[in-house]
Amino acid sequence: MSELAFLLAGASLGIIVFQTAVLAPLVFTQLKDGSRGPFLRALFPRFFLILAALGLGSALSSYFGDFDRGAVLGVIALILALIAYVLIPSTNRARDEDRKKAFKFLHLASVLLTLGIGISNLLMLFG
């Protein structure tokens, strides 16, 4: 069962790298007609829910596969993804209300949470 946990951790890392290295730069360079905001608001809830589901899958497959470290790291990834998901409405509201300081703080929090998810998946694979 730990093979499934490894596969799911790898998928999480792949999604994070793709979103960071490919998708985000494309959005900011190609979408200039005002569609950037609506696109990102549709993307990020799905992004964090997918990462949460992968974290849950990793945790469960690790738990049932007697891979204790993987179970803990999967739960960590799940919790971080859910926290990031819950922050989305506040982040959007701060952007809408032009509260720049609050937006920067919440955006940084989501970036750090995503980094934490990535690190937990790396540790599952290589720790």
Side-chain angles (χ1 to χ4, degrees), residues 91-92 94-95 99-108:
T91 306
N92 291 341
R95 171 66 102 188
R99 293 182 292 127
K100 290 178 171 78
K101 190 173 184 179
F103 174 78
K104 284 183 178 185
F105 174 79
L106 291 165
H107 181 263
L108 176 62

Side-chain angles (χ1 to χ4, degrees), residues 52-92:
L54 291 169
L56 176 61
S58 291
L60 290 174
S61 64
S62 295
Y63 176 78
F64 290 114
D66 291 324
F67 180 46
D68 294 337
R69 178 175 47 106
V72 171
L73 291 167
V75 168
I76 290 170
L78 168 65
I79 291 169
L80 294 177
L82 291 175
I83 292 169
Y85 178 80
V86 167
L87 288 179
I88 292 171
S90 297
T91 306
N92 291 341

Side-chain angles (χ1 to χ4, degrees), residues 20-127:
T20 304
V22 178
L23 192 58
L26 280 173
V27 166
F28 286 103
T29 60
Q30 299 300 312
L31 297 180
K32 299 182 191 276
D33 62 353
S35 59
R36 187 183 310 161
F39 177 79
L40 292 174
R41 288 182 184 211
L43 173 69
F44 277 101
R46 291 169 175 86
F47 174 72
F48 288 120
L49 288 176
I50 289 168
L51 292 176
L54 291 169
L56 176 61
S58 291
L60 290 174
S61 64
S62 295
Y63 176 78
F64 290 114
D66 291 324
F67 180 46
D68 294 337
R69 178 175 47 106
V72 171
L73 291 167
V75 168
I76 290 170
L78 168 65
I79 291 169
L80 294 177
L82 291 175
I83 292 169
Y85 178 80
V86 167
L87 288 179
I88 292 171
S90 297
T91 306
N92 291 341
R93 195 167 31 261
R95 171 66 102 188
D96 293 344
E97 296 170 358
D98 202 31
R99 293 182 292 127
K100 290 178 171 78
K101 190 173 184 179
F103 174 78
K104 284 183 178 185
F105 174 79
L106 291 165
H107 181 263
L108 176 62
S110 72
V111 168
L112 294 175
L113 289 164
T114 303
L115 183 62
I117 296 164
I119 290 169
S120 69
N121 284 292
L122 277 172
L123 289 172
M124 188 178 305
L125 294 172
F126 301 110

Side-chain angles (χ1 to χ4, degrees), residues 2-22:
S2 61
E3 292 85 7
L4 179 58
F6 293 149
L7 177 69
L8 296 174
S12 290
L13 284 169
I15 290 168
I16 291 168
V17 169
F18 180 77
Q19 190 279 333
T20 304
V22 178

